[in-house]
């Protein structure tokens, strides 16, 4: 009898450990096969009302998704490195943590998209619409943002080292604590009228600001191109 109780206790303990491990193990996230097939077949997969396009952690590196409609799609953690996303619609999409290194994002609509911690290293973002996009902590090292629209975007703590921002619209953008080391901001106009750009605590060391208009930009605590720290509080009115 005593031995039977000991065995029951042993098996109960094993079962408890198995169940505990099961509940602590996070579920494996993977793209919905039907949604992926629809995208590859028809070049679209959108989210609307009760239906979400589930492409979580999908591997589409090097894929040709030119003019694809992925509005509202969940592409968090996806691999889109080297993909062709020219003129695609990714508005309101979730691309948090996605890899878009070396991708072609020319004329692409990424307005209101969640791009936090996404990798855009060496990505071409020419004329991309990033209005109100969340790019916090994103890696934009050596990215080309020629004529891109970043109106009202959140770039807090983003890495824009060696990035090209010719003609980019950063009105109302938040670049607090952003790394703009050696970024090319030639002839850039940060704001017009009351469209304030927040560059507080940003690192502009080595950045090219020839002909740039910083009037009205918030530069409190920013590291300037010459390595000095701007200690003035408030907006730059020079």
């Amino acid at each position: 009898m005593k031995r039977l109780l000991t065995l029951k206790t042993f098996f109960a303990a094993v079962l408890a450990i198995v169940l505990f491990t099961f509940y602590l193990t996070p579920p494996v996230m993977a793209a919905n096969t039907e949604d992926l097939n629809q995208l590859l077949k028809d070049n679209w997969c959108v989210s609307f009302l009760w239906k979400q396009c589930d492409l979580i952690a999908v591997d589409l590196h090097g894929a040709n998704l030119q003019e694809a409609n992925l509005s509202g799609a969940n592409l968090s953690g996806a691999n889109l490195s080297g993909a062709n996303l020219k003129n695609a619609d990714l508005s309101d999409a979730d691309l948090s943590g996605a890899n878009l290194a070396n991708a072609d994002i020319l004329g692409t609509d990424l307005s209101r998209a969640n791009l936090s911690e996404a990798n855009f290293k060496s990505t071409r973002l020419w004329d991309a619409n990033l209005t109100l996009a969340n790019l916090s902590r994103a890696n934009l090292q050596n990215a080309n943002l020629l004529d891109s629209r970043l109106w009202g975007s959140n770039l807090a703590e983003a890495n824009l080292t060696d990035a090209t921002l010719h003609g980019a619209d950063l009105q109302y953008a938040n670049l607090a604590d952003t790394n703009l080391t050696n970024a090319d901001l030639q002839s850039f106009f940060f704001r017009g009228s009351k469209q304030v750009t927040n560059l507080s605590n940003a690192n502009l060391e080595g950045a090219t600001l020839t002909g740039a208009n910083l009037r009205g930009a918030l530069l409190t605590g920013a590291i300037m191109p010459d390595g000095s720290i701007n200690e003035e509080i408030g907006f730059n009115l020079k």
Side-chain angles (χ1 to χ4, degrees):
M1 186 67 174
K2 185 176 180 180
R3 184 179 179 183
L4 182 60
L5 288 173
T6 302
L7 287 172
K8 285 184 177 180
T9 302
F10 171 76
F11 285 118
V14 172
L15 180 60
I17 292 172
V18 170
L19 290 173
F20 182 72
T21 303
F22 174 79
Y23 282 110
L24 282 183
T25 303
V28 177
M29 307 300 283
N32 182 288
T33 303
E34 291 183 5
D35 288 345
L36 177 57
N37 289 338
Q38 181 178 351
L39 172 63
L40 296 176
K41 178 184 177 182
D42 302 319
N43 208 31
W44 72 273
C45 184
V46 301
S47 295
F48 58 92
L49 298 177
W50 64 90
K51 174 66 173 70
Q52 182 185 55
C53 175
D54 179 6
L55 295 170
I56 296 174
V58 69
D59 186 359
L60 287 167
H61 73 278
N64 182 11
L65 298 171
Q66 185 169 344
E67 298 184 358
N69 187 351
L70 286 158
S71 178
N74 189 347
L75 287 147
S76 58
N79 183 6
L80 291 159
S81 58
N84 178 5
L85 290 161
K86 295 176 183 176
N87 298 310
D89 184 357
L90 285 156
S91 57
D92 299 294
D94 184 355
L95 286 148
S96 55
N99 183 9
L100 295 115
N102 297 297
D104 277 335
I105 303 178
L106 282 67
T108 304
D109 187 358
L110 285 156
S111 57
R112 302 175 303 279
N114 181 5
L115 305 166
S116 60
E117 301 184 356
N119 181 19
F120 288 96
K121 185 176 181 180
S122 301
T123 298
R124 292 195 297 171
L125 289 143
W126 298 351
D127 197 33
N129 184 1
L130 291 151
T131 302
L132 298 175
N134 179 11
L135 286 148
S136 59
R137 298 180 301 281
N139 181 15
L140 290 147
Q141 183 179 2
N142 201 41
N144 193 329
L145 292 136
L146 178 70
D147 293 327
S148 60
R149 282 155 285 169
L150 287 149
W151 190 97
S153 60
N154 181 15
L155 286 149
E157 300 182 57
N159 181 9
L160 283 153
T161 304
D162 298 311
T164 299
L165 290 154
H166 278 299
D169 181 1
L170 281 163
Q171 297 178 100
Y172 284 124
N174 178 18
L175 290 104
D177 300 294
T178 297
N179 187 354
L180 286 153
T181 303
N182 297 320
D184 186 352
L185 294 158
Q186 275 194 79
S187 303
F188 184 75
F189 194 79
F190 280 97
R191 66 184 286 265
S193 185
K194 297 180 180 179
Q195 286 74 32
V196 176
T197 300
N198 183 6
L199 283 158
S200 58
N201 301 313
N203 186 354
L204 289 155
E205 189 169 5
T208 303
L209 292 169
T210 305
N213 187 348
L214 290 168
R215 182 180 174 83
L218 182 61
L219 288 160
T220 305
I223 301 175
M224 303 308 288
D226 61 1
S228 64
I229 298 177
N230 180 50
E231 296 180 352
E232 294 183 16
I233 298 174
F235 300 114
N236 179 31
L237 299 177
K238 297 178 182 180

